[in-house]
Amino acid sequence: MDWQNRFAPLSLSTTDALPELALSHLTSWGAINMIGDDKKSYLSGQVTCDVVSLKESDSTLGAHCDAKGKVWSVFRLFHHNGGYAMFQPKSAIAVELAEIKKYAIFSKVDISESEDVALGVIGSKATLFVDQLSDSTEDVRQITGGTAIKIDEQRWLLLVNAENAAQLVDNFEGKLIDESLWTRLDIEAGLPVLTAHQQNEHIPQALNVQALDGISFTKGCYTGQETVARAKYRGMNKRAMFIVSGQSNNNPEANAELERAVGDNWRGAGKLLTSYQFSDNKTIGLVVLPNNLENETQLRLKDAPDSLWKIEPLPYSLEDE
C-alpha cells in the first residue's frame, strides 16, 4: 500500500502554528469491534462508561478494568459498522482483547480486533473537510467505508477500511503527516494514552477517566466497580494523571521514569505514558503522579538527571462535582 509511505514528520517549535489542515496515519492506534444481539448488555457489564445511553451521534471515553479495578484499557467508544468500536493504543489490544472476551461465550456477541485504518484529521479546517464526507452534522457520522468521530474542535478520527483510507489519502489536499502531532494534541488535552507498558497498574481515577466523563456512577454493575466506587466515595484514590514539561535532548521513550524532589533528595514519582518533543527541545508528556503534589514540585528524568521537568495545568478540573 503505497499510500502508507506518504506521511512525513512535521517539525514544529513551541511558537509555530498548527497546519490549517493535515491528515495523519495513526499507526500505533487500533480498535476492538463488538457486534451481536447482546453487544450492548455485554459491554455495559464490562466497562466504566454508560453504554446503554450512548447515542449513535456521540462518543465517550471509558475504561475496562480487572476485578480489582486496575485498568486493562482506556478507549473511546462509538457506534461503528452496526456495532461498537473501542478505539485505543494498538499495543494494548492483545491483552485487552483476551480480557474483554473472557465471558463472551455466554452471550450473543462477537468481539475481534478491527482491520480498519485509523486516520486523524487535524487543524482549523478539519470539520470543513469532514463535512464533505457526510451530510450529517453530528459528532459521530457514518462515512463511506467507516465512521468519522469528532475528538475536539480541531480533530476528527476516521476509522475506515483500507480501500477508502487509500482514496482519502490520494484525494487529500492538506499536509500528510505522521502521528506525532496527534500525540501532542492528546497530551495537551489531557487525554489518557494507556499502552501495554502500564496496563493493569492504575485504577481509572488515576488516569483522570472520571474527569473526562468516562465513568458512570449510576449505571449497573461492571467489572471492578467496587474499587472505582470506593475511590470516589471514600477518597481512596491517591494518584492522578498530569501534564508535565521539560527540556530534553531526545524524546523520552514511553515508560521513562520521572523522579520528584524531596528536600535535597530525589524519589520515584511516576512513568511517562507518552510524550512529544518540539523542535526547540521542549518536551511534554503525560504521567501518573501522587495527587497531593504541589504544582511547583520539581521533577527530573531518572535516566537524564539534568533534564528538569515541571507540572503543567490540566485543561479540566479533577475536583469532584
Side-chain angles (χ1 to χ4, degrees):
M1 298 183 185
D2 291 341
W3 64 267
Q4 294 187 6
N5 300 318
R6 295 172 58 186
F7 298 87
L10 178 66
S11 180
L12 294 176
S13 74
T14 52
T15 57
D16 288 336
L18 294 177
E20 287 187 333
L21 183 62
L23 186 68
S24 176
H25 185 196
L26 306 180
T27 56
S28 66
W29 290 81
I32 290 174
N33 289 339
M34 187 172 296
I35 59 175
D37 293 344
D38 294 339
K39 60 183 183 293
K40 182 183 293 186
S41 59
Y42 181 78
L43 186 59
S44 183
Q46 297 294 314
V47 300
T48 62
C49 54
D50 188 350
V51 179
V52 174
S53 299
L54 182 65
K55 299 178 181 178
E56 294 196 8
S57 57
D58 295 329
S59 71
T60 181
L61 290 183
H64 177 225
C65 308
D66 70 3
K68 297 180 179 179
K70 296 296 181 68
V71 178
W72 293 117
S73 168
V74 176
F75 53 83
R76 182 173 294 275
L77 178 70
F78 48 90
H79 292 266
H80 177 65
N81 291 347
Y84 294 109
M86 303 166 68
F87 181 70
Q88 59 196 283
K90 193 173 290 183
S91 72
I93 287 180
V95 171
E96 164 61 3
L97 186 61
E99 293 297 329
I100 199 76
K101 290 174 69 172
K102 266 187 176 177
Y103 308 105
I105 191 172
F106 304 112
S107 300
K108 295 178 181 178
V109 62
D110 183 69
I111 306 169
S112 61
E113 182 173 358
S114 174
E115 297 181 355
D116 289 332
V117 175
L119 300 173
V121 188
I122 300 171
S124 59
K125 295 183 178 179
T127 298
L128 290 176
F129 173 80
V130 175
D131 285 343
Q132 299 171 11
L133 306 179
S134 169
D135 293 331
S136 171
T137 59
E138 304 289 357
D139 289 349
V140 176
R141 311 176 185 181
Q142 292 185 23
I143 60 174
T144 302
T147 307
I149 306 95
K150 185 176 182 179
I151 305 300
D152 53 40
E153 292 303 319
Q154 56 187 359
R155 282 198 298 168
W156 284 78
L157 164 67
L158 309 181
L159 193 64
V160 294
N161 61 41
E163 179 182 353
N164 283 281
Q167 292 177 4
L168 285 165
V169 173
D170 287 341
N171 297 324
F172 193 71
E173 296 182 355
K175 293 180 180 291
L176 297 176
I177 63 174
D178 70 9
E179 67 180 358
S180 60
L181 183 57
W182 188 271
T183 300
R184 168 189 160 182
L185 296 174
D186 271 345
I187 294 169
E188 292 176 342
L191 295 177
V193 180
L194 187 71
T195 64
H197 292 291
Q198 296 187 42
Q199 281 180 294
N200 205 224
E201 290 189 14
H202 310 290
I203 66 170
Q205 286 96 326
L207 295 161
N208 302 359
V209 179
Q210 82 291 353
L212 294 159
D213 298 324
I215 303 176
S216 171
F217 292 98
T218 58
K219 61 174 282 187
C221 295
Y222 58 89
T223 305
Q225 180 187 26
E226 184 177 349
T227 297
V228 176
R230 281 204 307 266
K232 174 178 174 64
Y233 295 113
R234 298 185 185 178
M236 295 179 63
N237 178 47
K238 303 301 180 185
R239 299 181 75 78
M241 188 185 71
F242 294 93
I243 302 171
V244 293
S245 69
Q247 291 291 322
S248 179
N249 293 329
N250 300 293
N251 191 20
E253 294 183 2
N255 222 36
E257 188 170 351
L258 285 173
E259 298 179 318
R260 60 187 175 100
V262 182
D264 295 331
N265 300 312
W266 295 88
R267 295 180 182 173
K271 296 178 180 179
L272 286 172
L273 295 165
T274 190
S275 62
Y276 171 87
Q277 186 177 38
F278 293 89
S279 62
D280 48 6
N281 286 350
K282 179 181 178 180
T283 306
I284 57 175
L286 296 173
V287 61
V288 176
L289 299 170
N291 60 14
N292 60 354
L293 292 185
E294 299 291 337
N295 290 336
E296 298 76 21
T297 299
Q298 186 72 71
L299 305 169
R300 72 177 187 184
L301 281 174
K302 181 179 181 179
D303 292 337
D306 293 333
S307 180
L308 299 179
W309 292 56
K310 63 179 181 179
I311 298 172
E312 299 284 0
L314 287 164
Y316 48 79
S317 174
L318 295 178
E319 298 296 326
D320 284 337
E321 296 181 358

